[in-house]
Coordinates of all heavy atoms in Angstrom, one line a residue:
D1 N 0.8 -1.3 -0.1 CA 0.0 0.0 0.0 C 0.9 1.2 0.0 O 0.3 2.3 -0.3 CB -1.0 0.1 1.2 CG -1.9 -1.1 1.3 OD1 -1.9 -2.0 0.4 OD2 -2.6 -1.2 2.3
A2 N 2.1 1.2 0.3 CA 2.9 2.5 0.3 C 3.4 2.9 -1.0 O 4.6 2.8 -1.3 CB 4.1 2.2 1.3
I3 N 2.4 3.5 -1.7 CA 2.7 3.9 -3.1 C 2.8 5.4 -3.3 O 3.9 6.0 -3.5 CB 1.5 3.4 -4.1 CG1 1.7 1.8 -4.1 CG2 1.8 3.9 -5.5 CD1 0.4 1.1 -3.9
G4 N 1.8 6.1 -2.9 CA 1.9 7.6 -2.8 C 2.7 8.0 -1.7 O 3.5 9.0 -1.8
G5 N 2.7 7.2 -0.6 CA 3.6 7.6 0.6 C 3.2 6.9 1.8 O 2.2 6.1 1.8
T6 N 4.0 7.1 2.8 CA 3.7 6.5 4.2 C 3.6 7.6 5.1 O 4.5 8.5 5.2 CB 4.8 5.6 4.5 OG1 5.0 4.5 3.5 CG2 4.6 5.0 5.9
V7 N 2.4 7.6 5.9 CA 2.2 8.6 6.9 C 2.3 7.9 8.2 O 1.6 6.9 8.5 CB 0.8 9.3 6.7 CG1 0.5 10.2 7.8 CG2 0.8 10.0 5.4
N8 N 3.1 8.6 9.1 CA 3.3 7.9 10.5 C 2.7 8.9 11.5 O 3.3 10.1 11.6 CB 4.7 7.6 10.8 CG 4.9 6.5 11.8 OD1 3.9 6.1 12.4 ND2 6.1 5.9 11.8
A9 N 1.7 8.5 12.2 CA 1.1 9.4 13.2 C 1.6 8.9 14.6 O 1.3 7.8 15.0 CB -0.4 9.4 13.1
F10 N 2.3 9.8 15.3 CA 2.9 9.5 16.6 C 2.1 10.0 17.7 O 1.7 11.2 17.8 CB 4.3 10.1 16.8 CG 5.3 9.4 15.7 CD1 5.5 9.9 14.5 CD2 6.0 8.3 16.0 CE1 6.3 9.3 13.5 CE2 6.9 7.7 15.2 CZ 7.0 8.2 13.9
T11 N 1.7 9.2 18.7 CA 0.8 9.5 19.7 C 1.5 10.3 20.9 O 2.7 10.2 21.0 CB 0.1 8.4 20.3 OG1 1.0 7.4 20.8 CG2 -0.8 7.6 19.3
K12 N 0.7 11.0 21.6 CA 1.3 11.8 22.7 C 1.6 10.8 23.9 O 0.9 9.8 24.1 CB 0.2 12.8 23.2 CG 0.0 13.9 22.3 CD -1.0 14.9 22.9 CE -1.3 16.1 22.0 NZ -2.4 17.0 22.6
G13 N 2.6 11.2 24.7 CA 3.0 10.4 25.8 C 3.1 11.4 27.0 O 2.7 12.6 26.8
S14 N 3.5 10.9 28.1 CA 3.6 11.7 29.4 C 4.8 12.6 29.4 O 4.8 13.5 30.2 CB 3.6 10.8 30.6 OG 4.8 9.9 30.6
G15 N 5.8 12.3 28.6 CA 7.0 13.1 28.7 C 7.8 12.7 30.0 O 8.6 13.6 30.5
F16 N 7.7 11.5 30.6 CA 8.3 11.3 31.8 C 9.9 11.3 31.8 O 10.6 11.5 32.7 CB 7.8 10.0 32.4 CG 8.4 8.7 31.7 CD1 9.4 8.0 32.3 CD2 8.0 8.4 30.5 CE1 9.9 6.9 31.7 CE2 8.6 7.2 29.9 CZ 9.5 6.5 30.5
L17 N 10.4 11.0 30.5 CA 11.9 11.1 30.4 C 12.5 12.5 30.5 O 13.7 12.6 30.6 CB 12.3 10.4 29.1 CG 12.0 8.9 29.1 CD1 12.4 8.3 27.7 CD2 12.8 8.2 30.1
S18 N 11.7 13.5 30.3 CA 12.2 14.9 30.4 C 12.0 15.5 31.8 O 12.4 16.6 32.0 CB 11.4 15.8 29.4 OG 10.0 15.8 29.7
E19 N 11.4 14.7 32.7 CA 11.3 15.1 34.0 C 12.5 14.7 34.9 O 13.2 13.8 34.6 CB 10.0 14.5 34.7 CG 8.7 14.9 34.0 CD 8.3 16.3 34.2 OE1 8.8 16.9 35.2 OE2 7.5 16.8 33.3
A20 N 12.7 15.4 36.1 CA 13.8 15.1 37.0 C 13.6 13.7 37.6 O 12.6 13.2 37.8 CB 13.8 16.1 38.1
E21 N 14.8 12.9 37.7 CA 14.7 11.6 38.1 C 14.0 11.5 39.5 O 14.4 12.2 40.4 CB 16.1 11.0 38.1 CG 16.1 9.5 38.5 CD 17.5 9.0 38.4 OE1 18.4 9.7 38.0 OE2 17.6 7.7 38.6
G22 N 13.1 10.5 39.6 CA 12.4 10.2 40.8 C 11.3 11.2 41.3 O 10.5 11.0 42.2
S23 N 11.2 12.4 40.5 CA 10.2 13.4 41.0 C 8.8 13.0 40.4 O 8.6 12.6 39.3 CB 10.6 14.8 40.4 OG 10.6 14.8 39.0
F24 N 7.8 13.2 41.3 CA 6.4 12.9 40.9 C 5.8 14.1 40.2 O 6.1 15.2 40.6 CB 5.6 12.6 42.1 CG 4.2 12.1 41.8 CD1 3.9 10.9 41.3 CD2 3.2 13.1 41.9 CE1 2.6 10.5 41.0 CE2 1.8 12.7 41.5 CZ 1.6 11.4 41.1
F25 N 5.3 13.9 39.1 CA 4.7 15.0 38.3 C 3.3 14.8 37.9 O 2.8 13.6 37.7 CB 5.6 15.2 37.0 CG 5.5 14.2 36.0 CD1 4.6 14.1 35.0 CD2 6.4 13.1 36.1 CE1 4.5 13.2 34.1 CE2 6.4 12.1 35.2 CZ 5.4 12.1 34.2
T26 N 2.5 15.9 37.8 CA 1.2 15.9 37.2 C 1.0 17.2 36.4 O 1.4 18.2 36.8 CB 0.1 15.9 38.3 OG1 0.3 17.0 39.0 CG2 0.2 14.6 39.2
H27 N 0.5 16.9 35.1 CA 0.2 18.1 34.4 C -0.8 17.8 33.4 O -1.1 16.6 33.1 CB 1.5 18.7 33.7 CG 2.3 17.6 32.9 ND1 1.9 17.1 31.7 CD2 3.5 17.1 33.2 CE1 2.8 16.3 31.3 NE2 3.8 16.3 32.1
G28 N -1.5 18.8 32.9 CA -2.6 18.5 32.0 C -2.8 19.6 31.0 O -2.2 20.7 31.1
Q29 N -3.8 19.4 30.1 CA -4.2 20.5 29.1 C -5.6 20.3 28.7 O -6.1 19.2 28.5 CB -3.3 20.4 27.9 CG -3.5 21.3 26.8 CD -2.5 21.2 25.7 OE1 -1.3 21.1 25.9 NE2 -2.9 21.2 24.5
A30 N -6.3 21.4 28.6 CA -7.7 21.5 28.0 C -7.7 22.3 26.8 O -7.1 23.4 26.8 CB -8.6 21.9 29.1
D31 N -8.3 21.8 25.7 CA -8.5 22.6 24.5 C -9.9 22.7 24.2 O -10.7 21.8 24.3 CB -7.7 21.8 23.4 CG -6.2 21.7 23.6 OD1 -5.4 22.6 23.3 OD2 -5.8 20.5 24.1
Y32 N -10.2 23.9 23.5 CA -11.5 24.2 23.0 C -11.5 24.8 21.7 O -10.6 25.7 21.5 CB -12.3 25.1 24.0 CG -13.7 25.4 23.5 CD1 -14.6 24.6 23.3 CD2 -13.9 26.7 23.1 CE1 -15.9 24.9 22.8 CE2 -15.2 27.1 22.6 CZ -16.1 26.2 22.4 OH -17.4 26.5 21.9
R33 N -12.2 24.4 20.7 CA -12.2 25.0 19.4 C -13.7 25.2 18.9 O -14.6 24.3 19.0 CB -11.6 24.0 18.3 CG -11.6 24.5 16.9 CD -11.2 23.4 16.0 NE -11.3 23.8 14.5 CZ -12.3 23.8 13.7 NH1 -13.5 23.4 14.2 NH2 -12.2 24.2 12.5
Y34 N -13.9 26.5 18.5 CA -15.2 26.8 17.9 C -15.0 27.4 16.5 O -14.1 28.2 16.3 CB -15.8 27.9 18.8 CG -17.0 28.6 18.2 CD1 -18.3 28.0 18.2 CD2 -17.0 29.9 17.6 CE1 -19.4 28.5 17.7 CE2 -18.1 30.4 17.0 CZ -19.3 29.8 17.1 OH -20.4 30.4 16.5
A35 N -16.0 26.9 15.7 CA -15.9 27.4 14.2 C -17.3 28.0 14.0 O -18.3 27.1 14.0 CB -15.5 26.3 13.3
S36 N -17.4 29.2 13.6 CA -18.7 29.9 13.4 C -19.3 29.3 12.1 O -20.6 29.3 12.0 CB -18.5 31.4 13.3 OG -17.8 31.7 12.2
A37 N -18.6 29.0 11.0 CA -19.2 28.6 9.8 C -19.8 27.3 9.8 O -20.6 27.0 8.8 CB -18.1 28.6 8.6
E38 N -19.7 26.5 10.8 CA -20.4 25.3 11.0 C -20.9 25.2 12.4 O -21.5 24.1 12.8 CB -19.5 24.1 10.5 CG -18.3 24.0 11.4 CD -17.4 22.9 11.0 OE1 -17.8 22.2 10.0 OE2 -16.4 22.5 11.7
R39 N -20.7 26.2 13.1 CA -21.2 26.2 14.6 C -20.8 25.0 15.3 O -21.6 24.3 16.0 CB -22.7 26.5 14.6 CG -23.1 27.8 14.1 CD -24.6 28.1 14.3 NE -25.0 29.3 13.7 CZ -26.2 29.8 13.6 NH1 -27.2 29.1 14.2 NH2 -26.5 30.9 13.2
S40 N -19.5 24.6 15.1 CA -19.0 23.4 15.7 C -18.3 23.6 17.1 O -17.7 24.8 17.2 CB -18.1 22.7 14.7 OG -16.9 23.4 14.6
H41 N -18.3 22.6 17.9 CA -17.6 22.7 19.2 C -16.7 21.5 19.5 O -17.3 20.4 19.3 CB -18.6 22.9 20.3 CG -19.6 24.0 20.2 ND1 -19.3 25.3 20.7 CD2 -20.7 24.3 19.5 CE1 -20.3 26.1 20.4 NE2 -21.1 25.5 19.7

């Protein structure tokens, strides 16, 4: 199937390898998108 090309979608992780060793971490994110031309939420 890889004729036009190959697309690889990489999922989000926690990023634990970028945190200080042994430290407990919590973080989060909320996103909201509104579009008037289709009144979508």
